[in-house]
Amino acid sequence: MKKSALNLLFCLMLGTWSIHDSSARELQIVSSDWAPYYGSELANDGVISELVRTALEVSGHQARFRFVPWMRALQEAEMGRADLLMGAYYTAERATRFIYSEPFYEIRLGLIALKSLGVTHYENLEDLKPYTIGIGRGWANSESFDDARYLKKEEATNQILNVRKLFRKRVDMVVMAHGVFNYERNRMAKKFKQPTVFIQPLLDKKQLFMMSSRRLNHSQELIDDFNLGLKRIIKDGRYQKILERFGFAVKQ
């Protein structure tokens, strides 16, 4: 091959690499520590992070995760200091500030109490008036529960504090994803051994979403890319394989 042809081939290859590099974006994704689903201390940042990472890689993006308190995560995402916020529930109010992805995981959300409280079910939310209920600051629960101003709710900045407050009887019950509570209870098993109950009925079954601030010019593009990647990994089986690798069922 002539030298000129080699030079042309080299330039073409270099151009191809440059196009590939420029199209791949490192996305800043913010959320809070929410074990066992995602968090800074979990393998690969947790099962949900791995699903998100894989879906974005399909669309040519790299994901960099940062975990901060939830209210700060919401504020930073809304201000555009992060490209995406991971693991949000849907609310009509948030939809005025963020663009939502397609839902990609379901969470069972309910009230949890010590068995010694003697409460296993309720008929309506007014039945809960006598009790102090621990909630997460800034977290959306069910719309009816969040709007129930007559209930005594006590905020905590994270789920670990709420579980500790429950076992120390500083609150009568907590609102939490069942999977999160089981994870934290098992971690505290040596210190707190009181039996607990999941009060029926559930408050809600919540879908998890990605969100991107409407202030960002590229927010719709990022959400579209995530949705496309999610669809592909579900179709080719990678979604299910990730859940199985982390020990999760399809719905938990």
Side-chain angles (χ1 to χ4, degrees):
M1 186 179 291
K2 294 183 179 180
K3 184 175 181 181
S4 58
L6 284 171
N7 288 339
L8 178 60
L9 178 61
F10 177 76
C11 289
L12 288 172
M13 292 173 65
L14 183 60
T16 302
W17 294 334
S18 298
I19 290 169
H20 176 75
D21 290 342
S22 64
S23 64
R25 302 175 61 176
E26 182 177 86
L27 302 181
Q28 302 298 316
I29 301 175
V30 67
S31 193
S32 62
D33 284 301
W34 203 46
Y37 302 111
Y38 45 83
S40 55
E41 296 183 358
L42 300 174
N44 287 1
D45 299 315
V47 61
I48 297 300
S49 300
E50 186 70 358
L51 290 173
V52 169
R53 180 186 291 113
T54 305
L56 289 170
E57 284 177 352
V58 168
S59 295
H61 301 298
Q62 294 179 335
R64 181 178 293 275
F65 297 95
R66 186 161 48 86
F67 298 97
V68 298
W70 180 248
M71 285 300 293
R72 180 177 163 190
L74 275 172
Q75 292 166 0
E76 290 193 8
E78 183 179 3
M79 294 299 293
R81 295 172 186 158
D83 297 293
L84 294 163
L85 185 144
M86 178 176 68
Y89 297 153
Y90 179 87
T91 70
E93 187 279 328
R94 287 179 184 171
T96 65
R97 298 179 286 138
F98 295 93
I99 296 174
Y100 274 84
S101 71
E102 293 294 322
F104 64 95
Y105 196 79
E106 185 178 87
I107 299 291
R108 295 167 61 87
L109 182 75
L111 292 153
I112 304 150
L114 297 181
K115 190 174 182 180
S116 59
L117 185 67
V119 178
T120 59
H121 69 279
Y122 65 98
E123 296 295 329
N124 55 67
L125 290 175
E126 291 195 355
D127 294 342
L128 304 175
K129 281 183 177 180
Y131 308 107
T132 300
I133 304 171
I135 63 173
R137 184 174 299 163
W139 286 96
N141 301 296
S142 73
E143 185 175 354
S144 58
F145 178 85
D146 292 342
D147 289 343
R149 308 298 180 189
Y150 51 84
L151 295 178
K152 291 180 287 187
K153 305 171 190 175
E154 188 171 309
E155 292 185 337
T157 55
N158 59 62
Q159 70 271 11
I160 298 173
L161 292 176
N162 262 333
V163 174
R164 287 175 178 168
K165 287 166 71 174
L166 177 66
F167 281 117
R168 290 169 177 163
K169 299 184 178 180
R170 291 173 53 192
V171 295
D172 298 306
M173 54 187 69
V174 295
V175 175
M176 198 170 294
H178 285 187
V180 173
F181 180 81
N182 284 334
Y183 177 83
E184 298 298 347
R185 178 189 59 190
N186 291 339
R187 292 179 69 193
M188 300 178 189
K190 292 183 179 180
K191 189 173 184 180
F192 302 109
K193 299 182 179 181
Q194 302 100 307
T196 57
V197 294
F198 293 98
I199 300 172
Q200 298 300 320
L202 290 172
L203 282 178
D204 209 349
K205 291 181 180 180
K206 308 289 286 188
Q207 299 288 341
L208 291 185
F209 297 83
M210 301 296 288
M211 298 195 308
S212 187
S213 175
R214 292 185 178 273
R215 300 187 185 194
L216 294 176
N217 293 331
H218 58 288
S219 56
Q220 187 63 64
E221 174 191 338
L222 295 181
I223 294 299
D224 289 345
D225 284 352
F226 173 78
N227 288 340
L228 178 61
L230 176 65
K231 183 178 180 179
R232 287 179 177 172
I233 67 171
I234 291 173
K235 185 176 181 179
D236 68 19
R238 275 182 283 180
Y239 181 97
Q240 178 63 26
K241 288 179 180 178
I242 290 170
L243 294 180
E244 292 172 354
R245 175 155 52 89
F246 280 80
F248 282 74
V250 175
K251 300 283 181 67
Q252 183 166 333

